[in-house]
Amino acid sequence: MKIDLTDTTASKINKALVEGRRAIGTPAVGMVLTMVIVTDEENAYDSIRAAEEASHEHPSRTLVVIKRHARTPRDRTLSRLDAEVRVGADAGTGETVVLRTYGEVSEHADSVVLPLLLPDAPVVVWWPAQAPDDPARDPLGALAQRRITDLYAVENPLRVLETRRRFYAPGDTDLAWTRLTPWRSMLAAALDQGQVDIVAAAVEAEAENPAAELLARWLEARLGVTVERVVTDGPVVTAVRLGTPGGEIVIDRPDGPLATLTLPGQPPRTLALKVRPTSDLIAEELRRLDADEMYAIALRGSAPAGAHT
């Protein structure tokens, strides 16, 4: 069910949500959080689709904030809020409100979002494309317990990564880091099997890959060695090599969904290591909403005393 509202207000949107739920007989009590997506028209469709797929695991109210730019100087002085309310099958397992803001309303989008948050439920803000330099101090980011950015969506990811490091606050995370979860799990398992000292390390990836840089920094923090960055044709991270006195521990994924794990003195084994869709990454992030300490360590490239993988 879809309800279109033109030149509307937050109170009218809330009323439309209630009417929509009544019409299809769906209560709101099953929703566990509010997700706020701040995006543009170009990225809105894919972002909404990913959020709706993630809502099958995490039923939520999804608020999509799209800041529109009027074409004429006169129209730019006008403030307006249009909304599209989706409930039922049109919104995954939760409900979705697409908010298009014009003029001054765009500068105060938090005042529109605040009345639409689910009461007593955590808030997650996701910027699929361009994010503020300091997400925690952004008016919308300040409403959230978790703030998700994506270094893959920016033009100069390694420069922006340094900005993320400089302004990091507990609750920040990035999908470039989430993409590394399978790599981190396999590396941890390989090290548990080996029980050996690591004397050298290398991360192989396409140039300017932010996930590869985060992985290299994490390994430096955890292993206490300098990690070599090796540029390959990709795609994304293609291999990690850990040097030990008895030989190399290698996870190699040159292409496709399969990787090869090689341990010293053991035959190679094949592992599943596919590139996951955005919906899977978002679903993973929503499983825990506390501070991501390992992401903070990867940003800094150093671990505080007492930190654990």
Side-chain angles (χ1 to χ4, degrees):
M1 180 177 183
K2 295 183 181 180
I3 303 171
D4 289 320
L5 302 172
T6 302
D7 198 7
T8 189
T9 63
S11 61
K12 292 178 181 178
I13 295 170
N14 263 322
K15 183 179 179 181
L17 284 167
V18 173
E19 291 175 351
R21 287 197 301 268
R22 286 175 179 170
I24 64 173
T26 302
V29 292
M31 289 182 284
V32 297
L33 59 89
T34 303
M35 167 164 284
V36 181
I37 303 174
V38 187
T39 186
D40 52 23
E41 291 287 2
E42 180 180 357
N43 294 283
Y45 176 83
D46 289 338
S47 304
I48 294 171
R49 183 174 180 180
E52 289 177 353
E53 290 177 3
S55 74
H56 292 284
E57 182 177 339
H58 308 278
S60 58
R61 173 176 290 178
T62 301
L63 306 176
V64 185
V65 180
I66 301 173
K67 298 181 180 181
R68 298 293 300 270
H69 299 283
R71 296 181 179 179
T72 66
R74 185 181 66 83
D75 289 342
R76 293 188 194 114
T77 64
L78 302 177
S79 294
R80 196 177 88 222
L81 170 65
D82 296 341
E84 179 185 315
V85 177
R86 306 178 185 178
V87 294
D90 291 311
T93 60
E95 52 194 25
T96 299
V97 181
V98 181
L99 304 165
R100 289 183 171 86
T101 62
Y102 300 80
E104 189 177 352
V105 178
S106 296
E107 305 304 318
H108 304 283
D110 54 309
S111 64
V112 176
V113 167
L114 188 59
L116 300 176
L117 302 179
L118 289 172
D120 303 319
V123 179
V124 176
V125 176
W126 172 31
W127 291 270
Q130 295 297 324
D133 288 344
D134 190 347
R137 291 182 178 272
D138 178 81
L140 287 171
L143 301 174
Q145 286 75 35
R146 192 74 159 196
R147 296 168 293 276
I148 304 172
T149 54
D150 193 353
L151 286 164
Y152 273 59
V154 300
E155 289 187 6
N156 192 331
L158 298 187
R159 179 180 59 79
V160 177
L161 188 150
E162 290 306 307
T163 302
R164 297 274 182 271
R165 180 191 60 80
R166 189 164 67 251
F167 291 107
Y168 171 81
D172 292 353
T173 194
D174 195 280
L175 294 186
W177 175 245
T178 317
R179 291 180 178 93
L180 293 173
T181 299
W183 283 93
R184 293 168 52 211
S185 298
M186 289 184 182
L187 287 166
L191 290 172
D192 287 343
Q193 293 181 52
Q195 295 293 323
V196 292
D197 293 331
I198 304 298
V199 297
V203 172
E204 301 180 2
E206 62 189 356
E208 299 289 312
N209 184 275
E213 179 61 24
L214 286 169
L215 181 58
R217 294 186 186 192
W218 176 71
L219 289 170
E220 287 176 338
R222 305 313 303 167
L223 302 177
V225 299
T226 299
V227 176
E228 182 183 2
R229 281 74 161 169
V230 179
V231 176
T232 66
D233 292 334
V236 295
V237 180
T238 55
V240 175
R241 303 179 185 275
L242 304 178
T244 77
E248 275 193 331
I249 298 172
V250 181
I251 297 178
D252 186 25
R253 185 190 64 183
D255 196 6
L258 299 178
T260 302
L261 170 64
T262 305
L263 299 172
Q266 298 185 27
R269 66 189 73 174
T270 300
L271 306 171
L273 195 57
K274 67 177 182 177
V275 176
R276 298 181 294 164
T278 303
S279 57
D280 286 0
L281 305 178
I282 292 297
E284 178 184 328
E285 284 299 328
L286 298 183
R287 288 178 200 137
R288 51 171 295 179
L289 300 179
D290 55 339
D292 191 340
E293 295 180 359
M294 288 302 107
Y295 172 61
I297 288 172
L299 281 175
R300 291 192 300 263
S302 61
H308 302 283
T309 54

